[in-house]
């Protein structure tokens, strides 16, 4: 039996993924699909915890779905769907809310951060966000959840609430573990190379987005911060050059020694151009596939519908069990 991996991503913007996400994770999803049973979804209900423009949210949910397909998620092998199309999520979230304590939810650092960022809209959804995330995960009996540092506390909460429920009513939910990818190169900001590349960086030149066009990519690499030396070598203290070497090494499949040899005697300018071109070339197929998919509405709609149907069937099994456990009367058969 393959282990089940599940992850959700909020539909925030067309460039939902960065080069960092790509090199660290998405690039390996093809292989992961063989090794694991994968489920991915667009977490649009979570996005509602912050005020959204309705038309934009709708458009971005579709873009995000297409982009996941363009990155190689194969709907024949993996489950791919939009959270709000599967009613079980909201329903299990309600049940889990009743097993979540105000004290533990108050300790969530994301809640504290977002409450201070959006002081004019500290809504109940923001507070119970972790219960919805727990529902997402537990409905599919996921073994592994790939999460970044910012979501680790929510995964811990998921484990706590699932364990509490299982202890009260008997085995209902699988307790999920965090998934730490085997080999995932870490990509740093192009402007402050001691910091991780992040899509929320205010300096647009710090981050390469998957759908950036080639000219923009070249520009960002040309402006990449390096150091005042001249040598292209991987060495402690040369964060900028190290980062460019990492990116180039992964995408061109070269070791640091090979890169050092290739660029011996050459300047930083040449090297930055080479890295920029390599990145632009590597992302070209994703951009092309995205453009093709976003224009093929019929195909996208078919995948969205099929994904929702499969997800409904799988999640209903767990939801039904949980409903019975807590004593909700079953609907009589007609
Ligand atoms: N909260 C996650 C984020 O903002 C997205 C998410 C929602 C998620 N449900 C999930 C991630 C379930 C993993 C599993 O990044």
């Amino acid at each position: 039996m393959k282990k089940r991996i599940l992850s959700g991503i909020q539909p925030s913007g067309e460039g939902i993924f960065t080069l960092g996400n790509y090199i660290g994770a998405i690039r390996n999803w093809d292989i992961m699909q063989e090794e694991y049973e994968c489920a991915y979804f667009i977490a649009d209900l979570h996005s509602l915890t912050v005020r959204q423009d309705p038309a934009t949210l709708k458009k971005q949910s579709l873009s995000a779905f297409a982009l996941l397909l363009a990155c190689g998620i194969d709907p024949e092998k993996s489950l791919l769907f939009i959270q709000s199309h599967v009613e079980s999520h909201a329903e299990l979230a309600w049940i889990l809310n009743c097993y979540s304590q105000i004290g533990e939810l108050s300790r969530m650092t994301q809640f504290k951060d977002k409450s201070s960022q959006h002081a004019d809209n500290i809504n109940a959804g923001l507070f119970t966000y972790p219960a919805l995330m727990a529902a997402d995960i537990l409905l599919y009996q996921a073994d592994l959840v790939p999460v970044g540092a910012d979501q680790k506390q929510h995964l811990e909460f998921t484990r706590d609430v699932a364990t509490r429920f299982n202890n009260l009513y008997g085995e209902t939910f699988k307790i999920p573990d965090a998934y730490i990818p085997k080999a995932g190169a870490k990509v740093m900001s192009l402007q402050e190379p001691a910091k991780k590349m992040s899509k929320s960086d205010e300096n647009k030149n710090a981050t390469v987005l998957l759908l950036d066009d080639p000219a923009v990519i070249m520009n960002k690499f040309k402006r990449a911060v390096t150091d005042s030396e001249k040598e292209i070598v991987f060495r402690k203290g040369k964060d900028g050059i190290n980062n460019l070497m990492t990116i180039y090494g992964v995408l061109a499949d070269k070791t640091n020694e090979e890169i050092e040899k290739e660029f011996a005697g050459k300047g930083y300018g040449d090297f930055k151009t080479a890295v920029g071109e390599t990145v632009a070339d590597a992302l070209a197929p994703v951009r092309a596939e995205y453009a093709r998919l976003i224009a093929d509405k019929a195909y996208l709609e078919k995948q969205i519908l099929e994904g929702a149907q499969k997800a409904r069937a799988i999640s209903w099994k767990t939801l039904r069990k949980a409903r019975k456990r807590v004593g909700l009367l079953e609907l009589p058969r007609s």
Side-chain angles (χ1 to χ4, degrees):
M1 270 276 279
K2 287 185 186 173
K3 288 202 167 183
R4 183 172 284 171
I5 285 200
L6 172 136
S7 192
I9 181 149
Q10 290 195 42
S12 52
E14 284 206 10
I16 48 171
F17 297 130
T18 69
L19 180 65
N21 301 135
Y22 186 73
I23 287 185
I26 307 169
R27 212 172 51 94
N28 303 318
W29 282 355
D30 291 22
I31 314 156
M32 253 168 69
Q33 289 183 126
E34 308 303 326
E35 209 174 315
Y36 299 100
E37 219 180 285
C38 301
Y40 297 104
F41 65 94
I42 310 299
D44 55 347
L45 293 174
H46 277 105
S47 294
L48 294 182
T49 57
V50 172
R51 207 55 84 225
Q52 303 285 338
D53 169 55
T56 309
L57 179 63
K58 215 159 115 178
K59 190 168 156 257
Q60 289 179 341
S61 295
L62 188 68
S63 294
F65 191 92
L67 189 52
L68 288 179
L69 288 174
C71 286
I73 293 194
D74 177 352
E76 299 287 320
K77 292 181 190 154
S78 302
L79 180 63
L80 177 61
F81 63 96
I82 294 179
Q83 184 188 32
S84 66
H85 293 164
V86 186
E87 296 87 338
S88 323
H89 290 243
E91 189 173 338
L92 184 62
W94 172 256
I95 295 176
L96 295 178
N97 263 324
C98 301
Y99 295 83
S100 306
Q101 299 302 304
I102 286 187
E104 58 188 340
L105 291 172
S106 309
R107 285 194 293 275
M108 296 290 139
T109 49
Q110 184 180 285
F111 172 68
K112 291 189 224 165
D113 291 348
K114 288 204 178 167
S115 316
S116 58
Q117 277 165 27
H118 307 277
D120 56 337
N121 182 24
I122 306 178
N123 60 76
L126 202 56
F127 189 62
T128 61
Y129 180 116
L132 177 58
M133 182 156 158
D136 298 337
I137 297 168
L138 300 174
L139 278 172
Y140 299 87
Q141 308 284 353
D143 297 285
L144 297 166
V145 183
V147 281
D150 64 320
Q151 298 297 319
K152 244 180 155 169
Q153 203 184 18
H154 291 162
L155 184 61
E156 251 339 285
F157 168 83
T158 301
R159 293 167 54 91
D160 290 347
V161 84
T163 305
R164 187 176 306 150
F165 195 101
N166 286 351
N167 287 343
L168 278 167
Y169 301 112
E171 223 36 53
T172 309
F173 302 121
K174 179 165 272 163
I175 310 298
D177 287 308
Y179 172 76
I180 294 128
K182 274 180 220 144
K186 199 164 154 195
V187 175
M188 313 305 278
S189 153
L190 296 186
Q191 291 296 316
E192 291 167 82
K195 221 174 78 179
K196 208 177 138 190
M197 185 179 280
S198 153
K199 71 175 167 189
S200 52
D201 205 308
E202 274 171 27
N203 186 341
K204 296 291 162 238
N205 287 321
T207 306
V208 175
L209 300 174
L210 283 200
L211 294 176
D212 275 347
D213 69 56
V216 171
I217 294 175
M218 289 307 294
N219 224 319
K220 288 180 177 175
F221 278 99
K222 278 188 190 145
R223 288 161 184 238
V225 169
T226 48
D227 53 56
S228 54
E229 301 175 359
K230 289 208 268 298
E231 245 185 323
I232 297 156
V233 288
F234 198 98
R235 191 165 63 211
K236 204 166 177 262
K238 289 174 79 74
D239 291 341
I241 289 293
N242 294 350
N243 187 36
L244 295 178
M245 285 180 75
T246 302
I247 295 169
Y248 186 66
V250 169
L251 297 179
D253 195 20
K254 288 181 183 167
T255 64
N256 286 339
E257 282 113 77
E258 286 168 335
I259 301 171
E260 287 166 10
K261 236 184 243 161
E262 187 181 348
F263 290 94
K266 296 206 178 127
Y268 284 0
D270 291 339
F271 183 49
K272 287 182 185 179
T273 304
V275 182
E277 278 169 1
T278 304
V279 171
D281 287 351
L283 297 183
V286 174
R287 270 167 50 84
E289 183 61 2
Y290 173 81
R292 192 184 72 76
L293 288 166
I294 206 73
D296 192 348
K297 205 145 179 247
Y299 175 79
L300 279 181
E301 283 181 349
K302 180 169 171 277
Q303 296 309 329
I304 289 174
L305 183 61
E306 284 179 7
Q309 285 164 340
K310 283 186 212 159
R312 281 180 178 172
I314 298 170
S315 59
W316 171 243
K317 286 192 190 144
T318 304
L319 178 61
R320 184 167 181 218
K321 211 190 234 174
R323 290 171 56 123
K324 275 197 201 164
R325 296 282 206 209
V326 298
L328 299 174
L329 182 67
E330 278 198 277
L331 184 68
R333 284 167 201 262
S334 57

